[in-house]
Amino acid sequence: LTPTSGGGYQFTPRIWNGIIAYSVVDDTPPQTTITSAPSGYVNSTSATITFSSSDSNGFFQWQILLSNWVNWGSNSMTFNDNLPQGSVTFQVRAVDIYGNADVTPATATWIVDTIAPSVPSNSSPSDGAYTTDSTPTFSWSSVSDAVIYVIRVDDNSDFSSPVVHTTSTTNSYTASALSDGTYYWSVAAEDFACNSSGYSPTWVFHLDATAPNTTITSAPSGSVSSTSATFGFSSSESGDF
C-alpha cells in the first residue's frame, strides 16, 4: 500500500510464516481543547481546569508558568491554594498511544489577585459638618489599585436603610436631593478582582437646607409717645437672630 502523504496512517505489509501482516504507524497528533478554566482577574489562589482530546486513547501533559511538562491521566487539573499572585498561564496537550503530542497545546491565562486595595480616606463633607447643600458632593482619597468605589449614605448609623448605596469610578459622588436631617457616610474601594478594602470610618454630617420662619411676637403698633421700644420675636428653629 502507498503511504499517505502529510501524515496519517501508513500500512506496511510484512510476510511472517506465510502470513501477511501489516504494521500501523500513526503520526497524526491529537487536538486538545480546554473546556473550562478561569479567565480575567480572579481573587482565588485555587483553580480547576478541565480539558478534552480528539483522541479518546492516550493521556495528557500539562505545565503551568512554563514549567516542565507533567504526564496526566485525567481530563482535569485542580490547584488548591497554591497559585501565585499575578498572571498565570496553564497549558495542556494531548498525547496519543503512539506518542504523538499536540503541537499546539491549549492555553488558559488569568490573573490571580487576592490582595485588597487600601481603605479610602473620607474627605468631604467633613465629620460633624453642617451644610445647607441638599445635593452634597462626597469626596475621598484615590486608591491606586481601585477600579470602583462603593459609597453609602444613611440616616441611621448602622446603614440599615441607606438613602444612597451606589458606585463611582472616580473619588467623588454628588447625591440627588436629600431631605433635611443627620446623615452618616463611608466609602469602600474595589479592584478588578472584586477584592474590597472594607468601608472607611463612618463620618456624620447635618443637613439643613430649609430657612427658618421668623415671627415678631410683640412690638409697638400705631402711634406711640415714646422714643423707646421693646420687640419680641421667635424662630421656627433654634439658632441666632
mmCIF file with all atom_site columns, all heavy atoms in Angstrom, residues 154-179:
data_model
loop_
_atom_site.group_PDB
_atom_site.id
_atom_site.type_symbol
_atom_site.label_atom_id
_atom_site.label_alt_id
_atom_site.label_comp_id
_atom_site.label_asym_id
_atom_site.label_entity_id
_atom_site.label_seq_id
_atom_site.pdbx_PDB_ins_code
_atom_site.Cartn_x
_atom_site.Cartn_y
_atom_site.Cartn_z
_atom_site.occupancy
_atom_site.B_iso_or_equiv
_atom_site.pdbx_formal_charge
_atom_site.auth_seq_id
_atom_site.auth_comp_id
_atom_site.auth_asym_id
_atom_site.auth_atom_id
_atom_site.pdbx_PDB_model_num
ATOM 1   N N   . ASP A 1 154 ? -26.589 57.100 54.890 1.00 0.00 ? 154 ASP A N   1
ATOM 2   C CA  . ASP A 1 154 ? -27.776 56.633 55.595 1.00 0.00 ? 154 ASP A CA  1
ATOM 3   C C   . ASP A 1 154 ? -28.082 57.603 56.722 1.00 0.00 ? 154 ASP A C   1
ATOM 4   O O   . ASP A 1 154 ? -27.183 58.257 57.265 1.00 0.00 ? 154 ASP A O   1
ATOM 5   C CB  . ASP A 1 154 ? -27.523 55.227 56.171 1.00 0.00 ? 154 ASP A CB  1
ATOM 6   C CG  . ASP A 1 154 ? -28.817 54.466 56.457 1.00 0.00 ? 154 ASP A CG  1
ATOM 7   O OD1 . ASP A 1 154 ? -29.816 55.114 56.818 1.00 0.00 ? 154 ASP A OD1 1
ATOM 8   O OD2 . ASP A 1 154 ? -28.811 53.235 56.331 1.00 0.00 ? 154 ASP A OD2 1
ATOM 9   N N   . ASP A 1 155 ? -29.366 57.699 57.072 1.00 0.00 ? 155 ASP A N   1
ATOM 10  C CA  . ASP A 1 155 ? -29.727 58.498 58.244 1.00 0.00 ? 155 ASP A CA  1
ATOM 11  C C   . ASP A 1 155 ? -29.706 57.652 59.513 1.00 0.00 ? 155 ASP A C   1
ATOM 12  O O   . ASP A 1 155 ? -30.087 58.125 60.585 1.00 0.00 ? 155 ASP A O   1
ATOM 13  C CB  . ASP A 1 155 ? -31.086 59.184 58.051 1.00 0.00 ? 155 ASP A CB  1
ATOM 14  C CG  . ASP A 1 155 ? -32.192 58.222 57.654 1.00 0.00 ? 155 ASP A CG  1
ATOM 15  O OD1 . ASP A 1 155 ? -31.943 56.991 57.662 1.00 0.00 ? 155 ASP A OD1 1
ATOM 16  O OD2 . ASP A 1 155 ? -33.298 58.691 57.344 1.00 0.00 ? 155 ASP A OD2 1
ATOM 17  N N   . ASN A 1 156 ? -29.269 56.395 59.376 1.00 0.00 ? 156 ASN A N   1
ATOM 18  C CA  . ASN A 1 156 ? -29.021 55.527 60.525 1.00 0.00 ? 156 ASN A CA  1
ATOM 19  C C   . ASN A 1 156 ? -27.547 55.168 60.560 1.00 0.00 ? 156 ASN A C   1
ATOM 20  O O   . ASN A 1 156 ? -26.958 54.843 59.522 1.00 0.00 ? 156 ASN A O   1
ATOM 21  C CB  . ASN A 1 156 ? -29.849 54.235 60.437 1.00 0.00 ? 156 ASN A CB  1
ATOM 22  C CG  . ASN A 1 156 ? -31.331 54.492 60.596 1.00 0.00 ? 156 ASN A CG  1
ATOM 23  O OD1 . ASN A 1 156 ? -31.773 55.036 61.598 1.00 0.00 ? 156 ASN A OD1 1
ATOM 24  N ND2 . ASN A 1 156 ? -32.107 54.115 59.590 1.00 0.00 ? 156 ASN A ND2 1
ATOM 25  N N   . SER A 1 157 ? -26.953 55.186 61.722 1.00 0.00 ? 157 SER A N   1
ATOM 26  C CA  . SER A 1 157 ? -25.521 54.938 61.817 1.00 0.00 ? 157 SER A CA  1
ATOM 27  C C   . SER A 1 157 ? -25.154 53.493 61.515 1.00 0.00 ? 157 SER A C   1
ATOM 28  O O   . SER A 1 157 ? -23.985 53.191 61.250 1.00 0.00 ? 157 SER A O   1
ATOM 29  C CB  . SER A 1 157 ? -25.020 55.307 63.224 1.00 0.00 ? 157 SER A CB  1
ATOM 30  O OG  . SER A 1 157 ? -25.693 54.544 64.214 1.00 0.00 ? 157 SER A OG  1
ATOM 31  N N   . ASP A 1 158 ? -26.141 52.573 61.524 1.00 0.00 ? 158 ASP A N   1
ATOM 32  C CA  . ASP A 1 158 ? -25.850 51.176 61.203 1.00 0.00 ? 158 ASP A CA  1
ATOM 33  C C   . ASP A 1 158 ? -26.030 50.874 59.715 1.00 0.00 ? 158 ASP A C   1
ATOM 34  O O   . ASP A 1 158 ? -25.867 49.731 59.281 1.00 0.00 ? 158 ASP A O   1
ATOM 35  C CB  . ASP A 1 158 ? -26.728 50.236 62.033 1.00 0.00 ? 158 ASP A CB  1
ATOM 36  C CG  . ASP A 1 158 ? -28.223 50.442 61.777 1.00 0.00 ? 158 ASP A CG  1
ATOM 37  O OD1 . ASP A 1 158 ? -28.586 51.316 60.959 1.00 0.00 ? 158 ASP A OD1 1
ATOM 38  O OD2 . ASP A 1 158 ? -29.025 49.730 62.414 1.00 0.00 ? 158 ASP A OD2 1
ATOM 39  N N   . PHE A 1 159 ? -26.373 51.889 58.930 1.00 0.00 ? 159 PHE A N   1
ATOM 40  C CA  . PHE A 1 159 ? -26.549 51.756 57.473 1.00 0.00 ? 159 PHE A CA  1
ATOM 41  C C   . PHE A 1 159 ? -27.573 50.671 57.123 1.00 0.00 ? 159 PHE A C   1
ATOM 42  O O   . PHE A 1 159 ? -27.430 49.963 56.129 1.00 0.00 ? 159 PHE A O   1
ATOM 43  C CB  . PHE A 1 159 ? -25.219 51.472 56.781 1.00 0.00 ? 159 PHE A CB  1
ATOM 44  C CG  . PHE A 1 159 ? -24.228 52.599 56.895 1.00 0.00 ? 159 PHE A CG  1
ATOM 45  C CD1 . PHE A 1 159 ? -23.272 52.596 57.898 1.00 0.00 ? 159 PHE A CD1 1
ATOM 46  C CD2 . PHE A 1 159 ? -24.283 53.663 56.020 1.00 0.00 ? 159 PHE A CD2 1
ATOM 47  C CE1 . PHE A 1 159 ? -22.369 53.645 58.022 1.00 0.00 ? 159 PHE A CE1 1
ATOM 48  C CE2 . PHE A 1 159 ? -23.385 54.716 56.127 1.00 0.00 ? 159 PHE A CE2 1
ATOM 49  C CZ  . PHE A 1 159 ? -22.424 54.708 57.144 1.00 0.00 ? 159 PHE A CZ  1
ATOM 50  N N   . SER A 1 160 ? -28.612 50.576 57.940 1.00 0.00 ? 160 SER A N   1
ATOM 51  C CA  . SER A 1 160 ? -29.642 49.561 57.704 1.00 0.00 ? 160 SER A CA  1
ATOM 52  C C   . SER A 1 160 ? -30.616 49.956 56.614 1.00 0.00 ? 160 SER A C   1
ATOM 53  O O   . SER A 1 160 ? -31.292 49.096 56.034 1.00 0.00 ? 160 SER A O   1
ATOM 54  C CB  . SER A 1 160 ? -30.403 49.292 59.015 1.00 0.00 ? 160 SER A CB  1
ATOM 55  O OG  . SER A 1 160 ? -30.986 50.495 59.512 1.00 0.00 ? 160 SER A OG  1
ATOM 56  N N   . SER A 1 161 ? -30.712 51.246 56.304 1.00 0.00 ? 161 SER A N   1
ATOM 57  C CA  . SER A 1 161 ? -31.646 51.696 55.259 1.00 0.00 ? 161 SER A CA  1
ATOM 58  C C   . SER A 1 161 ? -31.014 52.856 54.489 1.00 0.00 ? 161 SER A C   1
ATOM 59  O O   . SER A 1 161 ? -31.456 53.995 54.608 1.00 0.00 ? 161 SER A O   1
ATOM 60  C CB  . SER A 1 161 ? -32.978 52.123 55.870 1.00 0.00 ? 161 SER A CB  1
ATOM 61  O OG  . SER A 1 161 ? -32.763 53.122 56.870 1.00 0.00 ? 161 SER A OG  1
ATOM 62  N N   . PRO A 1 162 ? -29.978 52.566 53.707 1.00 0.00 ? 162 PRO A N   1
ATOM 63  C CA  . PRO A 1 162 ? -29.245 53.650 53.037 1.00 0.00 ? 162 PRO A CA  1
ATOM 64  C C   . PRO A 1 162 ? -30.104 54.426 52.039 1.00 0.00 ? 162 PRO A C   1
ATOM 65  O O   . PRO A 1 162 ? -30.893 53.853 51.304 1.00 0.00 ? 162 PRO A O   1
ATOM 66  C CB  . PRO A 1 162 ? -28.095 52.924 52.334 1.00 0.00 ? 162 PRO A CB  1
ATOM 67  C CG  . PRO A 1 162 ? -28.563 51.514 52.185 1.00 0.00 ? 162 PRO A CG  1
ATOM 68  C CD  . PRO A 1 162 ? -29.421 51.247 53.379 1.00 0.00 ? 162 PRO A CD  1
ATOM 69  N N   . VAL A 1 163 ? -29.931 55.732 52.053 1.00 0.00 ? 163 VAL A N   1
ATOM 70  C CA  . VAL A 1 163 ? -30.586 56.577 51.055 1.00 0.00 ? 163 VAL A CA  1
ATOM 71  C C   . VAL A 1 163 ? -29.718 56.680 49.810 1.00 0.00 ? 163 VAL A C   1
ATOM 72  O O   . VAL A 1 163 ? -30.206 57.030 48.733 1.00 0.00 ? 163 VAL A O   1
ATOM 73  C CB  . VAL A 1 163 ? -30.878 57.979 51.628 1.00 0.00 ? 163 VAL A CB  1
ATOM 74  C CG1 . VAL A 1 163 ? -31.902 57.902 52.752 1.00 0.00 ? 163 VAL A CG1 1
ATOM 75  C CG2 . VAL A 1 163 ? -29.605 58.665 52.115 1.00 0.00 ? 163 VAL A CG2 1
ATOM 76  N N   . VAL A 1 164 ? -28.448 56.372 49.950 1.00 0.00 ? 164 VAL A N   1
ATOM 77  C CA  . VAL A 1 164 ? -27.524 56.270 48.821 1.00 0.00 ? 164 VAL A CA  1
ATOM 78  C C   . VAL A 1 164 ? -26.699 55.009 49.026 1.00 0.00 ? 164 VAL A C   1
ATOM 79  O O   . VAL A 1 164 ? -26.123 54.801 50.093 1.00 0.00 ? 164 VAL A O   1
ATOM 80  C CB  . VAL A 1 164 ? -26.582 57.489 48.730 1.00 0.00 ? 164 VAL A CB  1
ATOM 81  C CG1 . VAL A 1 164 ? -25.530 57.255 47.641 1.00 0.00 ? 164 VAL A CG1 1
ATOM 82  C CG2 . VAL A 1 164 ? -27.362 58.758 48.447 1.00 0.00 ? 164 VAL A CG2 1
ATOM 83  N N   . HIS A 1 165 ? -26.673 54.166 48.018 1.00 0.00 ? 165 HIS A N   1
ATOM 84  C CA  . HIS A 1 165 ? -25.793 52.981 48.006 1.00 0.00 ? 165 HIS A CA  1
ATOM 85  C C   . HIS A 1 165 ? -25.467 52.722 46.548 1.00 0.00 ? 165 HIS A C   1
ATOM 86  O O   . HIS A 1 165 ? -26.216 52.056 45.839 1.00 0.00 ? 165 HIS A O   1
ATOM 87  C CB  . HIS A 1 165 ? -26.466 51.782 48.656 1.00 0.00 ? 165 HIS A CB  1
ATOM 88  C CG  . HIS A 1 165 ? -25.505 50.650 48.906 1.00 0.00 ? 165 HIS A CG  1
ATOM 89  N ND1 . HIS A 1 165 ? -25.899 49.422 49.372 1.00 0.00 ? 165 HIS A ND1 1
ATOM 90  C CD2 . HIS A 1 165 ? -24.156 50.583 48.768 1.00 0.00 ? 165 HIS A CD2 1
ATOM 91  C CE1 . HIS A 1 165 ? -24.847 48.642 49.506 1.00 0.00 ? 165 HIS A CE1 1
ATOM 92  N NE2 . HIS A 1 165 ? -23.781 49.326 49.142 1.00 0.00 ? 165 HIS A NE2 1
ATOM 93  N N   . THR A 1 166 ? -24.363 53.282 46.097 1.00 0.00 ? 166 THR A N   1
ATOM 94  C CA  . THR A 1 166 ? -24.067 53.269 44.675 1.00 0.00 ? 166 THR A CA  1
ATOM 95  C C   . THR A 1 166 ? -22.557 53.188 44.458 1.00 0.00 ? 166 THR A C   1
ATOM 96  O O   . THR A 1 166 ? -21.784 53.106 45.425 1.00 0.00 ? 166 THR A O   1
ATOM 97  C CB  . THR A 1 166 ? -24.649 54.520 43.997 1.00 0.00 ? 166 THR A CB  1
ATOM 98  O OG1 . THR A 1 166 ? -24.564 54.390 42.585 1.00 0.00 ? 166 THR A OG1 1
ATOM 99  C CG2 . THR A 1 166 ? -23.939 55.778 44.441 1.00 0.00 ? 166 THR A CG2 1
ATOM 100 N N   . THR A 1 167 ? -22.149 53.189 43.207 1.00 0.00 ? 167 THR A N   1
ATOM 101 C CA  . THR A 1 167 ? -20.727 53.093 42.873 1.00 0.00 ? 167 THR A CA  1
ATOM 102 C C   . THR A 1 167 ? -20.293 54.307 42.067 1.00 0.00 ? 167 THR A C   1
ATOM 103 O O   . THR A 1 167 ? -21.097 54.989 41.436 1.00 0.00 ? 167 THR A O   1
ATOM 104 C CB  . THR A 1 167 ? -20.436 51.816 42.059 1.00 0.00 ? 167 THR A CB  1
ATOM 105 O OG1 . THR A 1 167 ? -21.204 51.844 40.852 1.00 0.00 ? 167 THR A OG1 1
ATOM 106 C CG2 . THR A 1 167 ? -20.791 50.576 42.865 1.00 0.00 ? 167 THR A CG2 1
ATOM 107 N N   . SER A 1 168 ? -18.993 54.533 42.102 1.00 0.00 ? 168 SER A N   1
ATOM 108 C CA  . SER A 1 168 ? -18.395 55.622 41.332 1.00 0.00 ? 168 SER A CA  1
ATOM 109 C C   . SER A 1 168 ? -17.031 55.155 40.842 1.00 0.00 ? 168 SER A C   1
ATOM 110 O O   . SER A 1 168 ? -16.316 54.445 41.548 1.00 0.00 ? 168 SER A O   1
ATOM 111 C CB  . SER A 1 168 ? -18.238 56.874 42.202 1.00 0.00 ? 168 SER A CB  1
ATOM 112 O OG  . SER A 1 168 ? -17.526 57.886 41.504 1.00 0.00 ? 168 SER A OG  1
ATOM 113 N N   . THR A 1 169 ? -16.693 55.554 39.629 1.00 0.00 ? 169 THR A N   1
ATOM 114 C CA  . THR A 1 169 ? -15.379 55.205 39.093 1.00 0.00 ? 169 THR A CA  1
ATOM 115 C C   . THR A 1 169 ? -14.339 56.283 39.408 1.00 0.00 ? 169 THR A C   1
ATOM 116 O O   . THR A 1 169 ? -13.162 56.110 39.095 1.00 0.00 ? 169 THR A O   1
ATOM 117 C CB  . THR A 1 169 ? -15.447 55.014 37.569 1.00 0.00 ? 169 THR A CB  1
ATOM 118 O OG1 . THR A 1 169 ? -15.976 56.200 36.965 1.00 0.00 ? 169 THR A OG1 1
ATOM 119 C CG2 . THR A 1 169 ? -16.333 53.822 37.222 1.00 0.00 ? 169 THR A CG2 1
ATOM 120 N N   . THR A 1 170 ? -14.777 57.379 40.021 1.00 0.00 ? 170 THR A N   1
ATOM 121 C CA  . THR A 1 170 ? -13.865 58.433 40.456 1.00 0.00 ? 170 THR A CA  1
ATOM 122 C C   . THR A 1 170 ? -13.957 58.562 41.974 1.00 0.00 ? 170 THR A C   1
ATOM 123 O O   . THR A 1 170 ? -14.770 57.897 42.623 1.00 0.00 ? 170 THR A O   1
ATOM 124 C CB  . THR A 1 170 ? -14.216 59.773 39.798 1.00 0.00 ? 170 THR A CB  1
ATOM 125 O OG1 . THR A 1 170 ? -15.506 60.215 40.275 1.00 0.00 ? 170 THR A OG1 1
ATOM 126 C CG2 . THR A 1 170 ? -14.275 59.631 38.273 1.00 0.00 ? 170 THR A CG2 1
ATOM 127 N N   . ASN A 1 171 ? -13.138 59.443 42.543 1.00 0.00 ? 171 ASN A N   1
ATOM 128 C CA  . ASN A 1 171 ? -13.114 59.579 44.003 1.00 0.00 ? 171 ASN A CA  1
ATOM 129 C C   . ASN A 1 171 ? -14.058 60.677 44.490 1.00 0.00 ? 171 ASN A C   1
ATOM 130 O O   . ASN A 1 171 ? -13.766 61.390 45.459 1.00 0.00 ? 171 ASN A O   1
ATOM 131 C CB  . ASN A 1 171 ? -11.692 59.853 44.494 1.00 0.00 ? 171 ASN A CB  1
ATOM 132 C CG  . ASN A 1 171 ? -11.132 61.159 43.989 1.00 0.00 ? 171 ASN A CG  1
ATOM 133 O OD1 . ASN A 1 171 ? -11.410 61.567 42.862 1.00 0.00 ? 171 ASN A OD1 1
ATOM 134 N ND2 . ASN A 1 171 ? -10.331 61.822 44.804 1.00 0.00 ? 171 ASN A ND2 1
ATOM 135 N N   . SER A 1 172 ? -15.209 60.793 43.824 1.00 0.00 ? 172 SER A N   1
ATOM 136 C CA  . SER A 1 172 ? -16.241 61.717 44.293 1.00 0.00 ? 172 SER A CA  1
ATOM 137 C C   . SER A 1 172 ? -17.595 61.271 43.765 1.00 0.00 ? 172 SER A C   1
ATOM 138 O O   . SER A 1 172 ? -17.687 60.527 42.782 1.00 0.00 ? 172 SER A O   1
ATOM 139 C CB  . SER A 1 172 ? -15.953 63.156 43.850 1.00 0.00 ? 172 SER A CB  1
ATOM 140 O OG  . SER A 1 172 ? -16.047 63.275 42.440 1.00 0.00 ? 172 SER A OG  1
ATOM 141 N N   . TYR A 1 173 ? -18.638 61.747 44.447 1.00 0.00 ? 173 TYR A N   1
ATOM 142 C CA  . TYR A 1 173 ? -20.005 61.428 44.031 1.00 0.00 ? 173 TYR A CA  1
ATOM 143 C C   . TYR A 1 173 ? -20.919 62.534 44.541 1.00 0.00 ? 173 TYR A C   1
ATOM 144 O O   . TYR A 1 173 ? -20.840 62.935 45.711 1.00 0.00 ? 173 TYR A O   1
ATOM 145 C CB  . TYR A 1 173 ? -20.454 60.082 44.600 1.00 0.00 ? 173 TYR A CB  1
ATOM 146 C CG  . TYR A 1 173 ? -21.924 59.789 44.361 1.00 0.00 ? 173 TYR A CG  1
ATOM 147 C CD1 . TYR A 1 173 ? -22.377 59.356 43.118 1.00 0.00 ? 173 TYR A CD1 1
ATOM 148 C CD2 . TYR A 1 173 ? -22.858 59.985 45.374 1.00 0.00 ? 173 TYR A CD2 1
ATOM 149 C CE1 . TYR A 1 173 ? -23.723 59.105 42.894 1.00 0.00 ? 173 TYR A CE1 1
ATOM 150 C CE2 . TYR A 1 173 ? -24.211 59.736 45.163 1.00 0.00 ? 173 TYR A CE2 1
ATOM 151 C CZ  . TYR A 1 173 ? -24.629 59.300 43.926 1.00 0.00 ? 173 TYR A CZ  1
ATOM 152 O OH  . TYR A 1 173 ? -25.965 59.064 43.708 1.00 0.00 ? 173 TYR A OH  1
ATOM 153 N N   . THR A 1 174 ? -21.799 63.035 43.660 1.00 0.00 ? 174 THR A N   1
ATOM 154 C CA  . THR A 1 174 ? -22.767 64.056 44.039 1.00 0.00 ? 174 THR A CA  1
ATOM 155 C C   . THR A 1 174 ? -24.134 63.416 44.177 1.00 0.00 ? 174 THR A C   1
ATOM 156 O O   . THR A 1 174 ? -24.646 62.786 43.243 1.00 0.00 ? 174 THR A O   1
ATOM 157 C CB  . THR A 1 174 ? -22.826 65.193 43.002 1.00 0.00 ? 174 THR A CB  1
ATOM 158 O OG1 . THR A 1 174 ? -21.535 65.814 42.908 1.00 0.00 ? 174 THR A OG1 1
ATOM 159 C CG2 . THR A 1 174 ? -23.859 66.238 43.406 1.00 0.00 ? 174 THR A CG2 1
ATOM 160 N N   . ALA A 1 175 ? -24.718 63.573 45.356 1.00 0.00 ? 175 ALA A N   1
ATOM 161 C CA  . ALA A 1 175 ? -26.004 62.940 45.653 1.00 0.00 ? 175 ALA A CA  1
ATOM 162 C C   . ALA A 1 175 ? -27.153 63.723 45.055 1.00 0.00 ? 175 ALA A C   1
ATOM 163 O O   . ALA A 1 175 ? -27.061 64.935 44.820 1.00 0.00 ? 175 ALA A O   1
ATOM 164 C CB  . ALA A 1 175 ? -26.187 62.820 47.162 1.00 0.00 ? 175 ALA A CB  1
ATOM 165 N N   . SER A 1 176 ? -28.246 63.009 44.805 1.00 0.00 ? 176 SER A N   1
ATOM 166 C CA  . SER A 1 176 ? -29.505 63.684 44.477 1.00 0.00 ? 176 SER A CA  1
ATOM 167 C C   . SER A 1 176 ? -30.028 64.359 45.735 1.00 0.00 ? 176 SER A C   1
ATOM 168 O O   . SER A 1 176 ? -29.484 64.179 46.825 1.00 0.00 ? 176 SER A O   1
ATOM 169 C CB  . SER A 1 176 ? -30.518 62.673 43.945 1.00 0.00 ? 176 SER A CB  1
ATOM 170 O OG  . SER A 1 176 ? -30.037 62.036 42.776 1.00 0.00 ? 176 SER A OG  1
ATOM 171 N N   . ALA A 1 177 ? -31.083 65.143 45.584 1.00 0.00 ? 177 ALA A N   1
ATOM 172 C CA  . ALA A 1 177 ? -31.579 65.948 46.699 1.00 0.00 ? 177 ALA A CA  1
ATOM 173 C C   . ALA A 1 177 ? -31.886 65.095 47.919 1.00 0.00 ? 177 ALA A C   1
ATOM 174 O O   . ALA A 1 177 ? -32.637 64.126 47.855 1.00 0.00 ? 177 ALA A O   1
ATOM 175 C CB  . ALA A 1 177 ? -32.817 66.710 46.262 1.00 0.00 ? 177 ALA A CB  1
ATOM 176 N N   . LEU A 1 178 ? -31.297 65.464 49.039 1.00 0.00 ? 178 LEU A N   1
ATOM 177 C CA  . LEU A 1 178 ? -31.541 64.812 50.318 1.00 0.00 ? 178 LEU A CA  1
ATOM 178 C C   . LEU A 1 178 ? -32.460 65.678 51.168 1.00 0.00 ? 178 LEU A C   1
ATOM 179 O O   . LEU A 1 178 ? -32.453 66.911 51.066 1.00 0.00 ? 178 LEU A O   1
ATOM 180 C CB  . LEU A 1 178 ? -30.221 64.590 51.071 1.00 0.00 ? 178 LEU A CB  1
ATOM 181 C CG  . LEU A 1 178 ? -29.162 63.721 50.391 1.00 0.00 ? 178 LEU A CG  1
ATOM 182 C CD1 . LEU A 1 178 ? -27.896 63.682 51.252 1.00 0.00 ? 178 LEU A CD1 1
ATOM 183 C CD2 . LEU A 1 178 ? -29.686 62.316 50.144 1.00 0.00 ? 178 LEU A CD2 1
ATOM 184 N N   . SER A 1 179 ? -33.219 65.041 52.001 1.00 0.00 ? 179 SER A N   1
ATOM 185 C CA  . SER A 1 179 ? -34.064 65.771 52.944 1.00 0.00 ? 179 SER A CA  1
ATOM 186 C C   . SER A 1 179 ? -33.209 66.271 54.101 1.00 0.00 ? 179 SER A C   1
ATOM 187 O O   . SER A 1 179 ? -32.108 65.763 54.353 1.00 0.00 ? 179 SER A O   1
ATOM 188 C CB  . SER A 1 179 ? -35.173 64.858 53.482 1.00 0.00 ? 179 SER A CB  1
ATOM 189 O OG  . SER A 1 179 ? -35.967 64.341 52.435 1.00 0.00 ? 179 SER A OG  1
#
